[in-house]
Amino acid sequence: MRTNIRPEHISAFEALTSGEHDNFALFSCFLDGEPAVAIVAVTPPEIEDGEYQITPLFVGVTKDMVLTDHDGTAA
């Protein structure tokens, strides 16, 4: 069976669903220039004047998004 699911996807999904972490947020963004939203992990800075690290985990569905399986059949 073919899959695009990588180990880092599984880790992110498990972290989201475990309830053990509280550093996830919805992030308003753009995908290919179109309005979108992503689920991100937010990591605070390690030093006082540092920047927050925003790591995208999953992108929300957009109105023009079409999901298909590996054979091109719409999901």
Side-chain angles (χ1 to χ4, degrees):
M1 177 178 180
R2 296 179 292 174
T3 183
N4 296 326
I5 300 170
R6 298 188 314 254
E8 57 267 29
H9 297 138
I10 294 168
S11 294
F13 180 78
E14 288 173 349
L16 279 167
T17 59
S18 72
E20 295 178 17
H21 306 278
D22 63 358
N23 65 323
F24 300 111
L26 287 175
F27 186 77
S28 179
C29 58
F30 292 85
L31 176 65
D32 296 330
E34 297 295 323
V37 63
I39 297 172
V40 300
V42 180
T43 305
E46 293 182 10
I47 59 172
E48 187 175 327
D49 291 338
E51 295 184 5
Y52 281 82
Q53 180 178 347
I54 308 290
T55 305
L57 302 175
F58 299 100
V59 176
V61 176
T62 63
K63 67 180 181 109
D64 294 324
M65 186 181 288
V66 177
L67 298 179
T68 64
D69 63 16
H70 287 268
D71 295 323
T73 303

